[in-house]
Amino acid sequence: MRISSGIGDAFAVNRVADSAPADGPQAPAAAKQTAALQSAVLQPAMAAIKDMPEIDHERVAMLRDALAKGELPFDPDRLAGLVQRFHLGTDK
């Protein structure tokens, strides 16, 4: 199946599901292999989530109030730089 934006083939998308057989003798084996792969990929992420501390909602509320009252300094340029550093991996 091809999905087109109407602008031309440059934006067309081929669906992966259309290239694989939907039914057949190998479908259950492929599903098990996919589930095992997903499990192997997700296990480290799930372990990392379990190791993370819970959110301290009381502290979040306290900080939100202090920010609203102007008691907590806010530097939007610094925040933007930290977000960029986190997502792009730059050390700037």
Side-chain angles (χ1 to χ4, degrees):
M1 171 181 199
R2 275 186 96 98
I3 300 173
S4 177
S5 65
I7 299 174
D9 287 339
F11 295 104
V13 177
N14 286 323
R15 291 188 48 179
V16 175
D18 291 339
S19 63
D23 295 319
Q26 295 176 347
K32 286 180 185 178
Q33 183 180 16
T34 301
L37 177 61
Q38 287 177 349
S39 177
V41 170
L42 293 178
Q43 284 177 355
M46 293 300 293
I49 289 173
K50 287 180 185 177
D51 291 340
M52 293 175 66
E54 291 293 319
I55 297 172
D56 185 350
H57 294 283
E58 210 172 291
R59 176 133 170 94
V60 170
M62 182 184 71
L63 292 170
R64 185 182 307 127
D65 292 342
L67 185 60
K69 293 176 187 174
E71 298 170 354
L72 187 64
F74 177 69
D75 183 355
D77 292 329
R78 182 167 185 258
L79 177 62
L82 291 170
V83 169
Q84 183 179 17
R85 182 172 145 191
F86 176 79
H87 286 287
L88 300 178
T90 61
D91 290 330
K92 193 174 181 181

